[in-house]
Amino acid sequence: KLAWALAHPARFPVDLNSAPRELMLRVPGLGPGMVERLLQARQVRRLRLEDLRRARLNLSKLLPFVLLDGHRPASSGPGAPAAQLPPRQGELFA
């Protein structure tokens, strides 16, 4: 999955708050089960960086390829340090 993502940089970053399921499944670090959980969670409210932390995802693998509230990847592409905003209050994954 990582090799495909690196070979198709025009498709990234993916906005986890609006992307279709098929595109979310292409994101390194997201499996089918987590994509389902994220799709259900975003029906209730917008996804945030803190939600991914609580889900115990491999953030170093995931963050260069996604956009969400509280996170924008660095403009230099995957593998660059991620720019992060402070997390907001509230939880989706406890």
Side-chain angles (χ1 to χ4, degrees), residues 7 9 11 14 17 19 21 26 30-31 34-35 41 44-46 49-50 52 57 59 67 69 71-73 75 88:
R11 295 199 181 231
V14 172
N17 282 302
R21 162 198 255 267
R26 292 284 190 171
L30 291 180
M34 183 53 63
V35 167
V44 178
R45 68 178 174 87
R46 294 186 57 80
L49 179 58
E50 188 60 28
L52 300 183
L57 292 170
L59 296 181
L67 295 172
D69 289 1
H71 170 72
R72 298 277 181 253
S75 60
R88 296 183 201 162

Side-chain angles (χ1 to χ4, degrees), residues 56-73:
R56 297 183 181 177
L57 292 170
N58 183 345
L59 296 181
S60 63
K61 188 178 200 181
L62 178 65
L63 290 181
F65 298 98
V66 298
L67 295 172
L68 65 155
D69 289 1
H71 170 72
R72 298 277 181 253

Side-chain angles (χ1 to χ4, degrees), residues 9-45:
R11 295 199 181 231
F12 297 96
V14 172
D15 185 346
L16 294 183
N17 282 302
S18 62
R21 162 198 255 267
E22 294 76 23
L23 188 52
M24 291 173 73
L25 287 169
R26 292 284 190 171
V27 175
L30 291 180
M34 183 53 63
V35 167
E36 287 303 317
R37 288 177 63 192
L38 294 173
L39 289 170
Q40 290 175 1
R42 76 181 194 187
Q43 290 177 0
V44 178
R45 68 178 174 87

